[in-house]
Amino acid sequence: MKHTDIYEVLAGGMLGKTVTVCGWVRTSRDSAAVAFLELADGTSFPRLQVVIDKNVLSPDPECFKCGASVSVSGEVVKAFKGDGVELNAREVSLLGKCPPEYPIQKKRTTLEFLRTVPHLRLRTNTFNAVFRVRSVAAQAVHRYFHERRYYYVNTPLITASDCEGAGEMFRVTAQSWNAKAASEEEFHKNDFFGRRAGLSVSGQLEGEVAAMAFSKIYTFGPSFRAEKSNTTRHLSEFWHIEPEVAFAELPDIIEIAEDMIKYLIRAVLEECPAEIDFFDAFMEKGLKDKLTHVLNSDFAVCTYTDAIALLQKADADFQFPVEWGCDLQTEHEKYLTEVHFKKPVFVTDYPKGIKSFYMKQNADGKTVAATDLLVPGIGEIIGCSEREADYDKLVSAMKERNMDLSAYKQYLDLRLFGSVPHSGFGLGFERFVMYVTGIDNIRDVTLFPRWVNNIM
Ligand code: 4AD
Ligand code: MG
């Protein structure tokens, strides 16, 4: 169908022209002589007002129903109110009617309710805005890396090795259950790949392979985790941005992570001003100031050991005890980033016992060169580390964790053939989108969120 996007009509420069637009009716108003339609096609935050002179036109009454799809031809004129434009209709055609059972009615509905209609909620202002921001941010991710000569690689989603070693892999099998199998190994011997396979929790291990050939690479794809965390920050399927950089040590990768986050925020502020104003008004008061403040400040850096000391001295009632060696709980992360530093903070050099096998072991014998970036309102948004580049040290870390070395032969080979210091990180894309929109539930920044006991 030949038509013009609403964003283009609203952008100005079309005054006096005759155009055809298509979209869904958000609201309508009627009076004796004129009727108005608010039309949205999803291409812009503001909607287009269509003015219908009832002395000239008498459109199908179905065209006025909330949710109906219509096409309208008419002349672009200066708006009666304000300095925008509106459309004087010459012809209004119904494309698809929308009966009153349509669950997305004009009155404000709750995010909880809208979660039950994921196939329709995108047409609301809020979700329309969230997913425009998400798309703009995704484009900015590619631009950021492309401009800096990182190569984009696509790592496998089906894998035989568990990157995080946390046993949170979904199994991939082509067999139906065979209760007669003597063992798990036996069961998978006859399986599609002849061995146990799963959905990847991270593209890092293969990303490292590519970084050892191209120096700078990134992945941007889905990761899967069968963790039963029923929280506002966890999904079973999330999108993961994972750069991997050769000849980079921990301070180098920290610099890159901060630079990238700021680049992405700047892109969203510049390209989605109307959306950010909307979120500032309805989702998180002060959002725009928060983001501007982040752009203008240096992120804090604090060792895990100092963070523990800070938490122990804190005037706060923590539910989980704080002692050196413990994993930081959400309440601790929130205290550090929201109360103490009041900005994003990199917590570095965690105890090796609570982190992954691949992280570079520090000379103290107790900690690893890893960092999590914590941000106010969310907590961990990035998991980052320098990788252990020494073959023997890596093997001993894997043995301590009782890992099956044979599943990691290629990964270990990287330490035998021209090993170099290298580092990388993983940014949870949904958590980033939450951060820049002020949406406080990860299920509301994902088209069809999956979490434990939930697949719609
Ligand atoms: O900290 P994680 O587990 O680190 C890794 O997977 C590394 N292999 C990354 C790397 O160094 N290449 O995960 C990285 C980030 C987290 O900080 C978080 O933002 C996000 O991924 N994330 C999740 N997001 C949504 N739902 C989940 N279940 C997530 N698990 C991790
Ligand atoms: Mg992590």
Side-chain angles (χ1 to χ4, degrees), residues 141 145 150-153 155-156 163-164 200-208 211 216-223 225 238-245 253 260 358 383 387 423-429:
V141 167
F145 289 116
Y150 285 65
Y151 290 100
Y152 173 43
V153 302
T155 50
C163 171
E164 293 306 306
S200 182
V201 299
S202 158
Q204 178 194 326
L205 302 188
E206 296 85 357
E208 285 187 50
K216 296 191 286 190
I217 64 93
Y218 72 103
T219 70
F220 186 3
S223 284
R225 304 224 173 157
F238 69 97
W239 279 66
H240 210 168
I241 296 152
E242 296 186 278
E244 192 69 36
V245 187
I253 197 77
M260 184 201 66
Y358 53 73
R387 320 306 192 188
S423 305
F425 65 82
L427 167 67
F429 188 48

Side-chain angles (χ1 to χ4, degrees), residues 282-327:
F282 295 106
M283 290 297 158
E284 181 181 337
K285 292 259 173 295
L287 172 72
K288 204 165 151 180
D289 285 346
K290 172 188 91 176
L291 296 176
T292 313
H293 170 68
V294 167
L295 286 185
N296 295 328
S297 51
D298 293 329
F299 293 4
V301 182
C302 167
T303 65
Y304 168 91
T305 302
D306 287 348
I308 291 293
L310 267 172
L311 291 167
Q312 284 171 334
K313 274 193 293 194
D315 181 20
D317 235 348
F318 295 128
Q319 189 193 339
F320 294 90
V322 179
E323 57 188 58
W324 201 95
C326 75
D327 216 346

Side-chain angles (χ1 to χ4, degrees), residues 163-164 168 201-205 208 219 223-227 229 233-244 355-356 358-359 371-373 378 380-385 387 423-432 442:
C163 171
E164 293 306 306
E168 287 165 347
V201 299
S202 158
Q204 178 194 326
L205 302 188
E208 285 187 50
T219 70
S223 284
F224 305 88
R225 304 224 173 157
E227 58 187 323
S229 321
R233 309 182 309 149
H234 290 88
L235 291 172
S236 317
E237 178 181 300
F238 69 97
W239 279 66
H240 210 168
I241 296 152
E242 296 186 278
E244 192 69 36
K355 287 288 182 190
S356 300
Y358 53 73
M359 295 173 175
T371 183
D372 282 355
L373 176 62
I378 298 188
E380 179 191 338
I381 192 167
I382 279 180
C384 174
S385 64
R387 320 306 192 188
S423 305
F425 65 82
L427 167 67
F429 188 48
E430 287 79 8
R431 290 193 188 174
F432 176 78
I442 198 165

